[in-house]
Amino acid sequence: MADKPVKPLKPVTKTADPIISQIGDFRRYQLFFFFIIILCKFGTGWHTLGHIFLAAPTPQSCLTANVTDPCSDECAETEFDTSVFKSTIINEWDLTCDLKQLASLSQSIVMLGILLGSLCFGMFADRFGRRPAFLVACFMQLITGLIVCVSPYFWFYCLFRFLVAFATAGTMTASFVLLMEIVGPGKREIVAILYQIPFNLGHVSLAVFAYFIREWRWFQFSITIFSVVFVIYICLVPESPRWLFTTGKLDKSIKILEKIAKWNKAPTDTIRPEIEAAYAALAARQPVKKGTVLDLFRTPYLRLKTICMANNWMVVCMVYYGTAQYVSKLGGNIFVSNLIAAIVGVPGTCLCVPMTKFLGRKRTLLLSHSLSATGLLLLVGLFGQAEIIRVACATVALFGASVTFPNIYLYSGELFPTVVRSNGVGLCSMIGRVGSIVAPLICDLDLYGLWIAPLIFGLFSILAIVGTIFLPETRGATLPETLEDGENFGRKKKAQQ
């Protein structure tokens, strides 16, 4: 019997990137890894924005004769309207009247959890590896999310929602870095941007879940139980070969690269000598060092880039979450209004792909911030007009933010050097959550005027435009590896220009 013909290996184009030179820019393994890693992204949308329906408006009325205000001292008996939602955390723990602000506080606690989780898991991933950080975050999200469903007290609910958010931040940070470190510059923008689509779909599906599940405990269970699929990550998610290479663990890095190369039908016989030679050159340039958050601020140009990128994160989080909440404040059906606000993120994310591909990261960021600023400042001038006009202006701003969001993930992942990449992305995400925390508080200023919130959001969008001017373009560039690379990255291009 004749042997089957052996398929010829596909040579890999050699580049300045030692990792991509072994496994290819984007082949079978990277595609497979992309599809399994994005499964965790649905949960980030569900847990980050689930508060919209967990604490959905639950009207309360007074049953005492001749008393209309349920918060009045004269009201002896009250009743919640459960015609839309059978139970929410509002009527579960009577978060009304003097306790009304506690509902918003619970969401601020969630954003605080994402803030701290981004920083802690970023440091964890840079110190101990991307894989352990990612697995810990995934299973922590599942376990704490299920515990939320059986919360007996409001403080218990807040505590475990905080832990869910803390873990969710870890899944976002670690999964994104894992993906970016094995994809070459040719496909990096489209992969990084399409990676955000499950977040948008998670946001969209929240309204569908809530429409069919009107009890908050079962709603929380429905958005958590999907995380059971994370068990597949134990077998399918390896350590980042780039992190292993940069930290001097060459044997482990080479072993993983050889497996990936076999998946990609690429040659494996040159991997060891080329990786060892590349590491020797790397070590000669700068001694191996595990980075910390402080390293992002030790040198002037890296410090400037870190501050400007962190500012972008803060503004887009503020504008995206703030504008989405502002739209819901304009009235209407809660399911329809939130579905529309969520759906607008899908085309925005998709449009980001060709924009970053052909215009670059920097120009796309300038344009998307400008779109948000325009929509918000128009909203300020037209706040007295018909509701449809105000909603249209807010939708324009939200669309701009939906383009900005995937771009800053991509941009920051390329801007920071490998030794502090997780720290950099984690720090920026943490600063972004500051914007998420203050956004609901800014929206509450509508008590003094509907124009105040969009004015503040619009001015911050302009501030982000100014900061973006100082960032270098990263499209098609080799990822910086060391702190020295991080400091010099962008300087040469500026000198050439």
Side-chain angles (χ1 to χ4, degrees):
M1 184 176 179
D3 293 334
K4 292 183 179 180
V6 178
K7 292 184 179 180
L9 298 178
K10 300 177 182 178
V12 179
T13 302
K14 300 301 180 182
T15 68
D17 188 323
I19 302 300
I20 301 304
S21 293
Q22 313 308 321
I23 61 176
D25 205 55
F26 189 79
R27 294 191 179 181
R28 288 200 310 172
Y29 179 81
Q30 286 99 326
L31 180 63
F32 166 76
F33 192 77
F34 170 75
F35 279 118
I36 64 167
I37 210 75
I38 63 172
L39 292 176
C40 75
K41 196 66 178 176
F42 286 94
T44 64
W46 292 332
H47 291 296
T48 303
L49 298 164
H51 176 80
I52 296 171
F53 297 105
L54 290 169
T58 312
Q60 185 184 36
S61 58
C62 182
L63 300 179
T64 304
N66 301 320
V67 180
T68 58
D69 183 6
C71 295
S72 170
D73 293 336
E74 298 176 358
C75 183
E77 186 178 3
T78 61
E79 181 182 53
F80 285 99
D81 181 358
T82 57
S83 60
V84 178
F85 292 96
K86 292 183 180 179
S87 71
T88 65
I89 65 168
I90 305 298
N91 59 9
E92 177 82 16
W93 291 297
D94 196 18
L95 304 180
T96 59
C97 303
D98 292 340
L99 301 179
K100 187 176 181 179
Q101 299 302 318
L102 291 180
S104 296
L105 176 63
S106 70
Q107 179 63 2
S108 294
I109 290 173
V110 167
M111 292 302 176
L112 179 63
I114 293 179
L115 182 154
L116 296 176
S118 298
L119 182 62
C120 292
F121 275 103
M123 292 188 293
F124 189 119
D126 276 338
R127 178 68 60 176
F128 301 106
R130 287 39 167 148
R131 172 183 155 87
F134 181 59
L135 293 179
V136 168
C138 285
F139 289 105
M140 180 179 176
Q141 183 188 87
L142 171 62
I143 295 168
T144 55
L146 291 175
I147 293 176
V148 169
C149 302
V150 295
S151 300
Y153 311 107
F154 178 65
W155 66 264
F156 189 95
Y157 167 86
C158 290
L159 171 62
F160 278 90
R161 279 277 286 161
F162 169 85
L163 294 176
V164 171
F166 188 89
T168 298
T171 65
M172 287 191 288
T173 302
S175 65
F176 180 72
V177 173
L178 273 166
L179 191 58
M180 285 298 94
E181 292 189 339
I182 64 166
V183 175
K187 295 292 189 293
R188 197 177 293 142
E189 59 261 280
I190 189 170
V191 170
I193 293 166
L194 293 181
Y195 164 82
Q196 306 301 326
I197 291 290
F199 176 90
N200 300 131
L201 295 178
H203 187 186
V204 170
S205 62
L206 277 175
V208 179
F209 279 119
Y211 182 80
F212 291 102
I213 305 173
R214 305 295 180 94
E215 298 181 22
W216 78 265
R217 293 182 187 273
W218 285 109
F219 173 78
Q220 172 66 24
F221 179 82
S222 69
I223 64 176
T224 301
I225 196 60
F226 176 81
S227 298
V228 169
V229 302
F230 292 166
V231 71
I232 68 173
Y233 291 149
I234 297 175
C235 301
L236 298 180
V237 176
E239 183 54 88
S240 165
R242 187 180 297 276
W243 178 83
L244 292 169
F245 168 78
T246 306
T247 54
K249 300 176 182 178
L250 296 191
D251 287 337
K252 292 181 179 179
S253 178
I254 291 168
K255 185 177 180 181
I256 293 172
L257 287 172
E258 287 175 343
K259 289 182 179 179
I260 297 175
K262 288 178 181 177
W263 265 70
N264 290 342
K265 303 298 181 182
T268 60
D269 54 322
T270 61
I271 291 179
R272 179 169 290 277
E274 290 185 7
I275 287 295
E276 289 178 347
Y279 179 75
L282 178 67
R285 284 191 291 133
Q286 180 170 313
V288 176
K289 176 186 176 184
K290 291 183 179 180
T292 67
V293 172
L294 295 178
D295 290 321
L296 295 167
F297 300 93
R298 293 190 193 281
T299 53
Y301 193 40
L302 183 57
R303 178 168 59 244
L304 174 65
K305 291 184 289 187
T306 301
I307 292 171
C308 291
M309 184 55 72
N311 179 58
N312 273 295
W313 276 79
M314 183 188 71
V315 172
V316 72
C317 286
M318 182 189 298
V319 171
Y320 186 89
Y321 293 112
T323 305
Q325 182 172 332
Y326 188 83
V327 171
S328 65
K329 282 179 173 288
L330 296 177
N333 184 292
I334 187 172
F335 304 106
V336 174
S337 61
N338 279 282
L339 188 64
I340 293 173
I343 286 176
V344 75
V346 177
T349 300
C350 293
L351 181 62
C352 191
V353 175
M355 288 182 70
T356 54
K357 182 75 173 179
F358 298 107
L359 298 179
R361 287 56 157 155
K362 184 173 182 177
R363 288 181 183 176
T364 300
L365 197 54
L366 290 170
L367 287 172
S368 59
H369 278 314
S370 298
L371 190 62
S372 292
T374 300
L376 290 163
L377 295 179
L378 279 175
L379 185 55
V380 174
L382 301 173
F383 75 93
Q385 300 300 313
E387 180 181 316
I388 189 171
I389 296 176
R390 287 181 285 146
V391 170
C393 292
T395 301
V396 169
L398 195 60
F399 181 81
S402 70
V403 177
T404 302
F405 237 127
N407 189 20
I408 60 169
Y409 264 96
L410 169 65
Y411 207 167
S412 56
E414 294 178 333
L415 191 68
F416 297 112
T418 300
V419 290
V420 287
R421 184 166 295 118
S422 286
N423 273 302
V425 175
L427 174 67
C428 287
S429 182
M430 183 194 76
I431 299 299
R433 303 311 151 184
V434 174
S436 304
I437 290 170
V438 302
L441 305 178
I442 294 173
C443 286
D444 285 343
L445 296 176
D446 64 348
L447 295 172
Y448 306 100
L450 280 173
W451 55 272
I452 297 177
L455 176 62
I456 295 174
F457 295 148
L459 292 176
F460 270 98
S461 294
I462 293 174
L463 177 63
I465 293 171
V466 175
T468 302
I469 295 172
F470 298 99
L471 294 174
E473 179 57 68
T474 62
R475 179 180 53 170
T478 300
L479 291 178
E481 301 285 356
T482 66
L483 292 174
E484 182 182 358
D485 292 339
E487 173 62 16
N488 294 329
F489 182 71
R491 286 190 180 276
K492 293 180 181 179
K493 288 185 178 181
K494 186 175 180 180
Q496 289 171 357
Q497 291 170 354

